[in-house]
Each structure stands twice: as C-alpha cells, then as structure tokens.
Amino acid sequence: MSRPETDDIPSLKEKWKDYLQENSLNTTQQRETIVEEFLACKGHVSTDDLLENVRGENKKIGYATVYRTLKLLVEAGLAHARDFGDGQTRYEVASDHHDHLICSKCGLVLEFEDDEIEELQDKVAQRLGGFKIVQHRLELFGLCPKEQGIEGGLCPNETVSEG
Ligand SMILES: [Zn+2]
Ligand SMILES: [Zn+2]
C-alpha cells in the first residue's frame, strides 16, 4: 500500500498543468521545453545533464531556468530528487516505485523493488506507533565486485553491456 500509483507521461502532463494553474504560474516556451525534455529522460539526470539535452532544442535556455523548473517539477510531483552521495542532486521521472543500490566508488546505480522489503517497511511503521507509510526512499550504498577488488570481479555495468 505504500507504493505511489503509476503515472504515465500524458497524466504527468495533466498534473503539471493542474499544478501551474493551482499556483497561478504561467508557462513559458522555455519551461515547456524543459518539461518535455525531462519527461523524455530515462534514469537519473543532474541539472547539467538536462541542461545539455535542453540546449539541443533551444540554445538560449540557461542553467538557472533548468534548475528552477526541476524544483517545480519535484513540487508538482512529476520528479523525484535523488541524492546518491556524490554531491550532485539527480532527478528522475516519477513513475513506478523503486529503490536504489549505489556503488559509492564507481557510482553505478541499480534500481530494484523487493516486495519483502516493502512489506517489512509497512510492518515496522505499524509497530512504531501505528504509522501508515505514505512515501519512502531507500538508498543502499555499497561497493560493486570490481570496486571491492575481488579478482575477476565485474561491475554489474560491465556484465550487462557484455550481454
Ligand atoms: Zn521501496
Ligand atoms: Zn531510479
């Protein structure tokens, strides 16, 4: 029950419109370009990553506009802000719930969802005074086999790309 519902792109766009309206914000061409580009992003993008994508569409868009739009997207519930411990906030499109496993040395980020962990979180919250979880973030930090220095140890990144 702690999982947010899946939002697809059209319904996210609706949500964005509603948010702008409720907050009496007017939209600009630049802002819309940023939103479009962001929703097309896979994975976890930094402000700089998104700026680069956006500049492909419109060279005039500046860092501050991208930064502010991302903040609005988080507030509007279209984006989740992530902190993977490298000092850079990353953003991802709010869709199916998942958690993250991060290699603190090479920076690889794996996404996972484990029913047992999800249930366990609900149980713990229940036990601690009858909380009902409405949202959670789980980030596990570790070292991939390669960064552990295991002989022949591969980063899952490499195993995947070798097919
Ligand atoms: Zn979870
Ligand atoms: Zn993710």
Side-chain angles (χ1 to χ4, degrees):
M1 284 307 288
S2 58
R3 275 174 238 169
E5 44 200 80
T6 310
D7 281 315
D8 47 21
I9 302 296
S11 75
L12 286 174
K13 283 185 182 164
E14 274 307 305
K15 212 169 169 179
W16 175 240
K17 271 191 207 147
D18 291 347
Y19 175 82
L20 291 173
Q21 222 163 38
E22 279 161 26
N23 294 277
S24 330
L25 293 164
N26 35 9
T27 187
T28 62
Q29 191 57 49
Q30 291 202 356
R31 206 179 254 168
E32 286 314 296
T33 303
I34 296 167
V35 172
E36 288 287 332
E37 286 294 318
F38 174 70
L39 291 176
C41 283
K42 299 254 179 302
H44 317 95
V45 292
S46 66
T47 309
D48 286 313
D49 295 334
L50 185 58
L51 179 64
E52 208 181 301
N53 290 355
V54 157
R55 285 248 170 101
E57 294 294 316
N58 180 346
K59 295 229 178 314
K60 287 186 206 147
I61 299 178
Y63 183 91
T65 313
V66 174
Y67 179 85
R68 279 197 305 264
T69 306
L70 279 168
K71 294 260 163 200
L72 289 177
L73 285 167
V74 171
E75 244 183 75
L78 276 79
H80 290 310
R82 307 289 188 201
D83 176 4
F84 295 144
D86 63 353
Q88 240 189 344
T89 305
R90 275 161 226 275
Y91 300 86
E92 71 181 317
V93 178
S95 59
D96 287 333
H97 171 71
H98 60 262
D99 298 309
H100 298 97
L101 173 65
I102 302 116
C103 177
S104 14
K105 244 186 179 169
C106 76
L108 174 76
V109 177
L110 295 177
E111 299 185 332
F112 70 93
E113 219 242 313
D114 184 290
D115 289 343
E116 263 181 78
I117 293 178
E118 299 292 321
E119 267 173 48
L120 206 53
Q121 292 175 134
D122 289 341
K123 275 188 203 155
V124 171
Q126 244 333 303
R127 200 169 67 219
L128 295 171
F131 271 62
K132 181 173 165 49
I133 296 185
V134 287
Q135 196 220 336
H136 76 267
R137 240 185 275 178
L138 179 62
E139 268 127 42
L140 304 175
F141 293 88
L143 295 174
C144 69
K146 191 181 182 183
E147 298 297 355
Q148 286 172 55
I150 294 170
E151 205 180 326
L154 290 176
C155 176
N157 208 3
E158 296 167 346
T159 13
V160 171
S161 61
E162 274 166 22

